[in-house]
PDB file of all heavy atoms in Angstrom:
ATOM      1  N   ALA L 382      30.535 -95.981 -72.333  1.00 98.00           N
ATOM      2  CA  ALA L 382      29.546 -95.071 -72.955  1.00 98.00           C
ATOM      3  C   ALA L 382      28.401 -94.824 -71.963  1.00 98.00           C
ATOM      4  O   ALA L 382      28.342 -95.474 -70.915  1.00 98.00           O
ATOM      5  CB  ALA L 382      29.047 -95.711 -74.236  1.00 98.00           C
ATOM      6  N   PRO L 383      27.508 -93.866 -72.296  1.00 98.00           N
ATOM      7  CA  PRO L 383      26.415 -93.544 -71.353  1.00 98.00           C
ATOM      8  C   PRO L 383      25.589 -94.749 -70.915  1.00 98.00           C
ATOM      9  O   PRO L 383      25.440 -95.719 -71.665  1.00 98.00           O
ATOM     10  CB  PRO L 383      25.562 -92.568 -72.142  1.00 98.00           C
ATOM     11  CG  PRO L 383      26.533 -91.921 -73.103  1.00 98.00           C
ATOM     12  CD  PRO L 383      27.468 -93.003 -73.496  1.00 98.00           C
ATOM     13  N   GLU L 384      25.068 -94.635 -69.709  1.00 97.00           N
ATOM     14  CA  GLU L 384      24.319 -95.764 -69.089  1.00 97.00           C
ATOM     15  C   GLU L 384      22.893 -95.816 -69.666  1.00 97.00           C
ATOM     16  O   GLU L 384      21.915 -95.440 -69.013  1.00 97.00           O
ATOM     17  CB  GLU L 384      24.324 -95.533 -67.559  1.00 97.00           C
ATOM     18  CG  GLU L 384      23.814 -96.703 -66.749  1.00 97.00           C
ATOM     19  CD  GLU L 384      24.834 -97.855 -66.632  1.00 97.00           C
ATOM     20  OE1 GLU L 384      25.904 -97.808 -67.243  1.00 97.00           O
ATOM     21  OE2 GLU L 384      24.507 -98.812 -65.922  1.00 97.00           O
ATOM     22  N   LYS L 385      22.798 -96.289 -70.895  1.00 97.00           N
ATOM     23  CA  LYS L 385      21.496 -96.479 -71.540  1.00 97.00           C
ATOM     24  C   LYS L 385      21.502 -97.856 -72.159  1.00 97.00           C
ATOM     25  O   LYS L 385      22.395 -98.163 -72.994  1.00 97.00           O
ATOM     26  CB  LYS L 385      21.275 -95.432 -72.640  1.00 97.00           C
ATOM     27  CG  LYS L 385      21.130 -94.035 -72.110  1.00 97.00           C
ATOM     28  CD  LYS L 385      20.887 -93.048 -73.245  1.00 97.00           C
ATOM     29  CE  LYS L 385      20.893 -91.632 -72.683  1.00 97.00           C
ATOM     30  NZ  LYS L 385      21.280 -90.632 -73.666  1.00 97.00           N
ATOM     31  N   LEU L 386      20.545 -98.686 -71.774  1.00 97.00           N
ATOM     32  CA  LEU L 386      20.603-100.107 -72.146  1.00 97.00           C
ATOM     33  C   LEU L 386      20.681-100.345 -73.657  1.00 97.00           C
ATOM     34  O   LEU L 386      21.545-101.081 -74.130  1.00 97.00           O
ATOM     35  CB  LEU L 386      19.401-100.824 -71.526  1.00 97.00           C
ATOM     36  CG  LEU L 386      19.401-102.341 -71.665  1.00 97.00           C
ATOM     37  CD1 LEU L 386      20.682-102.975 -71.130  1.00 97.00           C
ATOM     38  CD2 LEU L 386      18.187-102.949 -70.989  1.00 97.00           C
ATOM     39  N   GLU L 387      19.801 -99.663 -74.420  1.00 98.00           N
ATOM     40  CA  GLU L 387      19.792 -99.872 -75.877  1.00 98.00           C
ATOM     41  C   GLU L 387      21.123 -99.465 -76.506  1.00 98.00           C
ATOM     42  O   GLU L 387      21.665-100.136 -77.373  1.00 98.00           O
ATOM     43  CB  GLU L 387      18.652 -99.086 -76.537  1.00 98.00           C
ATOM     44  CG  GLU L 387      17.310 -99.783 -76.498  1.00 98.00           C
ATOM     45  CD  GLU L 387      17.360-101.218 -77.050  1.00 98.00           C
ATOM     46  OE1 GLU L 387      18.025-101.436 -78.082  1.00 98.00           O
ATOM     47  OE2 GLU L 387      16.790-102.111 -76.397  1.00 98.00           O
ATOM     48  N   LEU L 388      21.637 -98.309 -76.032  1.00 98.00           N
ATOM     49  CA  LEU L 388      22.913 -97.823 -76.549  1.00 98.00           C
ATOM     50  C   LEU L 388      24.043 -98.851 -76.273  1.00 98.00           C
ATOM     51  O   LEU L 388      24.833 -99.175 -77.151  1.00 98.00           O
ATOM     52  CB  LEU L 388      23.230 -96.469 -75.910  1.00 98.00           C
ATOM     53  CG  LEU L 388      24.461 -95.710 -76.406  1.00 98.00           C
ATOM     54  CD1 LEU L 388      24.271 -94.207 -76.207  1.00 98.00           C
ATOM     55  CD2 LEU L 388      25.730 -96.146 -75.714  1.00 98.00           C
ATOM     56  N   LYS L 389      24.054 -99.353 -75.048  1.00 98.00           N
ATOM     57  CA  LYS L 389      25.100-100.324 -74.672  1.00 98.00           C
ATOM     58  C   LYS L 389      24.980-101.592 -75.541  1.00 98.00           C
ATOM     59  O   LYS L 389      25.966-102.123 -76.016  1.00 98.00           O
ATOM     60  CB  LYS L 389      24.978-100.734 -73.201  1.00 98.00           C
ATOM     61  CG  LYS L 389      25.214 -99.607 -72.218  1.00 98.00           C
ATOM     62  CD  LYS L 389      26.618 -99.578 -71.724  1.00 98.00           C
ATOM     63  CE  LYS L 389      26.805 -98.744 -70.479  1.00 98.00           C
ATOM     64  NZ  LYS L 389      28.151 -98.191 -70.383  1.00 98.00           N
ATOM     65  N   ARG L 390      23.728-102.053 -75.722  1.00 98.00           N
ATOM     66  CA  ARG L 390      23.519-103.269 -76.548  1.00 98.00           C
ATOM     67  C   ARG L 390      24.084-103.086 -77.932  1.00 98.00           C
ATOM     68  O   ARG L 390      24.841-103.922 -78.438  1.00 98.00           O
ATOM     69  CB  ARG L 390      22.018-103.533 -76.680  1.00 98.00           C
ATOM     70  CG  ARG L 390      21.486-104.461 -75.680  1.00 98.00           C
ATOM     71  CD  ARG L 390      20.036-104.820 -76.000  1.00 98.00           C
ATOM     72  NE  ARG L 390      19.458-105.378 -74.805  1.00 98.00           N
ATOM     73  CZ  ARG L 390      18.221-105.141 -74.369  1.00 98.00           C
ATOM     74  NH1 ARG L 390      17.419-104.356 -75.058  1.00 98.00           N
ATOM     75  NH2 ARG L 390      17.805-105.710 -73.273  1.00 98.00           N
ATOM     76  N   ASP L 391      23.710-101.954 -78.566  1.00 98.00           N
ATOM     77  CA  ASP L 391      24.144-101.712 -79.962  1.00 98.00           C
ATOM     78  C   ASP L 391      25.653-101.554 -80.005  1.00 98.00           C
ATOM     79  O   ASP L 391      26.324-102.060 -80.893  1.00 98.00           O
ATOM     80  CB  ASP L 391      23.489-100.432 -80.505  1.00 98.00           C
ATOM     81  CG  ASP L 391      21.995-100.634 -80.691  1.00 98.00           C
ATOM     82  OD1 ASP L 391      21.543-101.783 -80.600  1.00 98.00           O
ATOM     83  OD2 ASP L 391      21.282 -99.631 -80.906  1.00 98.00           O
ATOM     84  N   TYR L 413      23.862-102.501 -65.091  1.00 95.00           N
ATOM     85  CA  TYR L 413      23.138-103.428 -65.973  1.00 95.00           C
ATOM     86  C   TYR L 413      23.777-104.810 -65.945  1.00 95.00           C
ATOM     87  O   TYR L 413      24.998-104.897 -66.116  1.00 95.00           O
ATOM     88  CB  TYR L 413      23.158-102.951 -67.440  1.00 95.00           C
ATOM     89  CG  TYR L 413      22.406-101.676 -67.708  1.00 95.00           C
ATOM     90  CD1 TYR L 413      22.970-100.684 -68.493  1.00 95.00           C
ATOM     91  CD2 TYR L 413      21.123-101.489 -67.196  1.00 95.00           C
ATOM     92  CE1 TYR L 413      22.289 -99.509 -68.756  1.00 95.00           C
ATOM     93  CE2 TYR L 413      20.447-100.313 -67.459  1.00 95.00           C
ATOM     94  CZ  TYR L 413      21.028 -99.326 -68.225  1.00 95.00           C
ATOM     95  OH  TYR L 413      20.362 -98.189 -68.485  1.00 95.00           O
ATOM     96  N   MET L 418      22.748-106.980 -71.748  1.00 98.00           N
ATOM     97  CA  MET L 418      23.470-106.145 -72.733  1.00 98.00           C
ATOM     98  C   MET L 418      24.055-106.943 -73.876  1.00 98.00           C
ATOM     99  O   MET L 418      24.396-106.391 -74.911  1.00 98.00           O
ATOM    100  CB  MET L 418      24.631-105.383 -72.040  1.00 98.00           C
ATOM    101  CG  MET L 418      24.162-104.399 -70.988  1.00 98.00           C
ATOM    102  SD  MET L 418      25.518-103.314 -70.450  1.00 98.00           S
ATOM    103  CE  MET L 418      26.550-104.473 -69.602  1.00 98.00           C
TER     104      MET L 418
END
Side-chain angles (χ1 to χ4, degrees):
E384 191 75 356
K385 292 182 186 153
L386 187 55
E387 276 308 317
L388 186 152
K389 296 265 196 208
R390 266 188 198 140
D391 292 349
Y413 293 135
M418 295 191 292

